[in-house]
Amino acid sequence: MYGERASRLGGAVVWTNSPSGPQGAGRVLPDGCMDLLWNDGRLLVAGPDTTAYVPEGRAGSWAGLRFFPGQAPDFLGVPAHELRDRRVELAELWSPTVVRRLTARVNAADDPASGLEEVVLERAAEVGRPDPVLRQVVDALGAGRPVAATADELGLGARHLHRRSLAAFGYGPKTLARVLRLQRALALARDGVPFAETAARTGYADQAHLARDVRELAGLPLGELLGGR
């Protein structure tokens, strides 16, 4: 069973998943985010995805804190593009001694999700507030603004925006815009908006364009992804 709630870290989400099937945590779609994960007593990091991630192996209990797009690199001290399409042990990024101490704290918490959140809040207080420009980039592209117009409105050159996007989001602004558009479309479709109208409202050329993008990014046809609608 999956559940989530807003985190005390602005824009972040705390979630838990205890799958009952044999395939672990289930299909994870690209969303521009990165996660700090707890899985059966160990800490991991999920980098930004460019396609759907399907866990392999046995099912297990998961908890995570999903950072708002662009938040995680400052927390981790690692550019996002170095973790693109990867799941790594936190000990690969930080001192194993530090990670053992943090893992023990999370394991000793009343629940792993709350333990993760406490660890993240402490670290976030040390690194300071995120760059507000990154939030503006996400807001603009998430609203469907063209990349070039977003760069101009923020006073950034195209190359500068691309470099900052790689470090903050793991990929360039065009890919980020595509991922965020997919999430907008899926939200409408899940609410029952017809697929053709969903495509028109989210900036796709037509329903066929939406269907191609969903298949490429999510790995399934749109109807199957939404449970047969």
Side-chain angles (χ1 to χ4, degrees):
M1 179 179 294
Y2 178 85
E4 66 178 41
R5 62 172 174 81
S7 171
R8 286 177 286 157
L9 179 68
V13 172
V14 176
W15 59 268
T16 58
N17 194 20
S18 299
S20 56
Q23 297 301 317
R27 184 176 298 266
V28 180
L29 303 185
D31 57 7
C33 301
M34 297 172 61
D35 294 56
L36 180 64
L37 307 172
W38 174 92
N39 173 233
D40 289 344
R42 60 194 182 121
L43 298 183
L44 307 95
V45 174
D49 294 316
T50 56
T51 58
Y53 173 77
V54 182
E56 298 179 352
R58 67 181 180 85
S61 296
W62 292 81
L65 185 139
R66 182 179 307 118
F67 293 90
F68 188 83
Q71 279 185 332
D74 283 344
F75 171 83
L76 295 170
V78 178
H81 63 82
E82 293 187 9
L83 299 173
R84 183 172 54 235
D85 293 321
R86 298 177 62 199
R87 268 67 177 163
V88 302
E89 300 276 354
L90 183 59
E92 293 184 30
L93 308 178
W94 290 2
S95 160
T97 301
V98 171
V99 174
R100 282 194 296 271
R101 175 173 55 80
L102 295 178
T103 302
R105 281 186 56 190
V106 174
N107 289 338
D110 290 339
D111 65 273
S114 296
L116 279 177
E117 186 176 32
E118 290 299 329
V119 166
V120 171
L121 288 170
E122 288 184 11
R123 171 68 176 171
E126 296 173 3
V127 300
R129 302 187 63 176
D131 184 349
V133 171
L134 300 177
R135 181 63 180 256
Q136 293 173 302
V137 170
V138 174
D139 288 346
L141 297 181
R145 295 287 294 156
V147 172
T150 297
D152 287 343
E153 290 165 3
L154 297 178
L156 302 174
R159 291 183 179 179
H160 188 190
L161 176 59
H162 188 80
R163 286 195 303 270
R164 293 185 70 167
S165 294
L166 285 177
F169 311 118
Y171 26 66
K174 289 185 178 179
T175 299
L176 177 63
R178 188 183 181 206
V179 166
L180 295 177
R181 179 175 63 178
L182 171 72
Q183 291 294 331
R184 293 199 312 276
L186 291 178
L188 289 176
R190 289 187 182 111
D191 284 343
V193 177
F195 292 164
E197 182 181 346
T198 291
R201 288 173 58 178
T202 50
Y204 290 93
D206 51 29
Q207 184 176 335
H209 183 198
L210 167 63
R212 288 195 303 272
D213 231 35
V214 170
R215 185 180 285 274
E216 289 177 11
L217 293 174
L220 290 175
L222 180 55
E224 186 176 344
L225 185 66
L226 297 179
R229 261 202 62 225

